[in-house]
């Protein structure tokens, strides 16, 4: 039989009448003047009743003081069980708590903050730590090492044979000695995120005269992401220093616009068919005009 079926729906009469006892308990727990009208009484079970009082504290609008009273079987004395403040149907409640890991947003991480990465983070997968046995055809496998050493022994005129590096040092050299590396999921989610900010579908790319793949300011990156992304190095571009999709583009594309040539004045025109006469020194002031300065009509020329 379930607990619900054992409960009496009709409140115990003596317990229901103990309103003053319940109010005194509520006022003892609350601040003075905070307990309001008696709102309701609810049966919690056999001889167990809860009295609800209005809460007049403005900080707890809609909340109610709940005082539970009870009595023993065949006893007439009603005693206090517990006093608690509970939210009513229209109570003002704080928003549901959300774990910090779900609340975190890009840009929240500040200087000195530490952001732990969970062990089962889907964006990461185990890297090569040096404890794994490489496959036989790997360049760092034991089989390949013996093969290389055998070949080196055959080289008679070689005086100094380079020492073969250990697996760990080779892995370190190649940047492979990390506990975890980006998983396929992590790689795709990063690519999607970058493509959203600096991809072909952005308004800037749609209005660009050409895409980054043909731009001289694009710095290529290695790895599989290098097939789709590069780094913009144009200080006037909105994507300067950012990873851009090869299909992104902006008006700063190196080949998009050609600078207009500076205006050049027309070359001087040389008339070599006629000569002009110039006096070597000023003419003496005789009051007469030099013949050479007279117009042709004064010389009798028509
Ligand atoms: S300048 Fe513009 S087109 Fe060139 S790489 Fe940067 S974003 Fe791409």
């Amino acid at each position: 039989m379930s607990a619900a079926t054992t409960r009496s729906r009709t409140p115990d009469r003596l317990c229901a009448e103990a309103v003053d006892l319940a109010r005194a308990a509520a006022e003892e727990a609350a601040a003075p003047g905070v307990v309001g009208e008696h709102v309701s009484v609810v049966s919690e079970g056999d001889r167990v009743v809860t009295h609800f009082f209005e809460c007049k504290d403005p900080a707890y609008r809609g909340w109610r003081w709940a005082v539970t009273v009870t009595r023993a079987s065949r006893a007439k004395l009603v005693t206090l069980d517990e006093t608690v403040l509970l939210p009513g149907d229209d109570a003002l409640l704080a928003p549901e708590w959300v774990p910090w890991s779900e609340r975190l947003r890009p840009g929240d991480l500040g200087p000195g903050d530490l952001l732990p990465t969970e062990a089962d983070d889907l964006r990461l997968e185990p890297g090569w730590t040096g404890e794994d046995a490489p496959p036989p055809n790997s360049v760092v496998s034991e089989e390949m090492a013996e093969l290389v050493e055998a070949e080196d022994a055959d080289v008679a005129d070689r005086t100094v044979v380079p020492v073969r590096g250990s697996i760990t040092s080779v892995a370190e050299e190649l940047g492979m000695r990390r506990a975890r590396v980006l998983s396929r999921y992590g790689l795709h989610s990063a690519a999607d995120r970058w493509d959203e900010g600096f991809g072909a579908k952005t308004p800037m790319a749609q209005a660009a005269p050409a895409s980054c793949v043909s731009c001289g300011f694009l710095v290529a990156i290695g790895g599989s992401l290098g097939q789709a992304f590069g780094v913009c190095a144009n200080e006037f571009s909105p994507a300067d220093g950012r990873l851009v999709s090869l299909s992104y583009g902006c008006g700063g594309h190196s080949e998009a616009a050609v600078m207009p040539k500076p205006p050049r004045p027309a070359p001087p025109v040389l008339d070599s068919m006629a000569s002009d006469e110039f006096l070597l020194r000023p003419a003496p002031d005789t009051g007469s005009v030099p013949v050479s300065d007279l117009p042709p009509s004064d010389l009798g020329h028509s």
Side-chain angles (χ1 to χ4, degrees), residues 57-78:
D57 190 329
Y60 286 87
R61 184 172 59 77
W63 288 62
R64 299 175 305 174
W65 284 102
V67 182
T68 303
V69 294
T70 187
R71 71 179 176 90
S73 173
R74 289 192 292 279
K76 293 192 175 177
L77 180 64
V78 177

Side-chain angles (χ1 to χ4, degrees), residues 8-56:
S8 166
R9 288 182 175 267
T10 307
D12 178 80
R13 186 178 60 82
L14 290 177
C15 289
E17 287 174 358
V19 177
D20 291 342
L21 170 71
R23 174 178 290 282
E27 287 177 346
E28 187 183 350
V34 168
V35 180
E37 295 295 317
H38 184 255
V39 178
S40 61
V41 56
V42 174
S43 171
E44 303 286 357
D46 292 341
R47 297 178 303 282
V48 182
V49 164
T50 298
H51 292 271
F52 288 95
F53 297 89
E54 180 192 353
C55 177
K56 293 168 74 177

Side-chain angles (χ1 to χ4, degrees), residues 8-183:
S8 166
R9 288 182 175 267
T10 307
D12 178 80
R13 186 178 60 82
L14 290 177
C15 289
E17 287 174 358
V19 177
D20 291 342
L21 170 71
R23 174 178 290 282
E27 287 177 346
E28 187 183 350
V34 168
V35 180
E37 295 295 317
H38 184 255
V39 178
S40 61
V41 56
V42 174
S43 171
E44 303 286 357
D46 292 341
R47 297 178 303 282
V48 182
V49 164
T50 298
H51 292 271
F52 288 95
F53 297 89
E54 180 192 353
C55 177
K56 293 168 74 177
D57 190 329
Y60 286 87
R61 184 172 59 77
W63 288 62
R64 299 175 305 174
W65 284 102
V67 182
T68 303
V69 294
T70 187
R71 71 179 176 90
S73 173
R74 289 192 292 279
K76 293 192 175 177
L77 180 64
V78 177
T79 57
L80 178 67
D81 193 350
E82 68 171 357
T83 306
V84 65
L85 187 62
L86 292 177
D89 293 338
D90 59 341
L92 185 64
L93 297 173
E96 197 175 338
W97 184 77
V98 181
W100 67 265
S101 54
E102 292 173 26
R103 267 181 281 140
L104 204 64
R105 289 286 170 269
D108 285 352
L109 200 66
D113 290 344
L114 287 179
L115 178 60
T117 309
E118 293 183 28
D120 57 352
D121 193 319
L122 291 176
R123 298 169 302 167
L124 298 169
E125 61 187 14
W128 191 84
T129 60
E131 293 165 6
D132 313 321
N137 60 349
S138 165
V139 289
V140 292
S141 69
E142 285 298 321
E143 289 85 344
M144 288 298 282
E146 287 166 11
L147 203 61
V148 170
E149 277 163 19
E151 283 177 3
D152 288 343
D154 288 344
V155 182
D157 58 346
R158 184 183 270 179
T159 51
V160 180
V161 178
V163 179
R164 180 181 175 279
S166 69
I167 291 176
T168 304
S169 58
V170 171
E172 251 174 10
E173 186 72 20
L174 297 175
M176 294 166 60
R177 204 174 177 211
R178 290 175 290 166
R180 287 191 286 176
V181 294
L182 207 57
S183 67

Side-chain angles (χ1 to χ4, degrees), residues 212 215 217-218 232 234 237 248-250 252-253:
C212 299
C215 179
F217 292 112
L218 185 83
C232 173
N234 183 349
S237 166
Y248 181 69
C250 76
H253 190 287

Side-chain angles (χ1 to χ4, degrees), residues 245-282:
S245 163
L246 298 186
S247 51
Y248 181 69
C250 76
H253 190 287
S254 61
E255 318 306 325
V258 179
M259 289 286 280
K261 290 184 179 162
R264 292 177 60 187
V269 178
L270 295 176
D271 182 3
S272 57
M273 301 299 290
S275 61
D276 298 319
E277 290 185 8
F278 294 100
L279 296 177
L280 291 176
R281 57 186 65 87

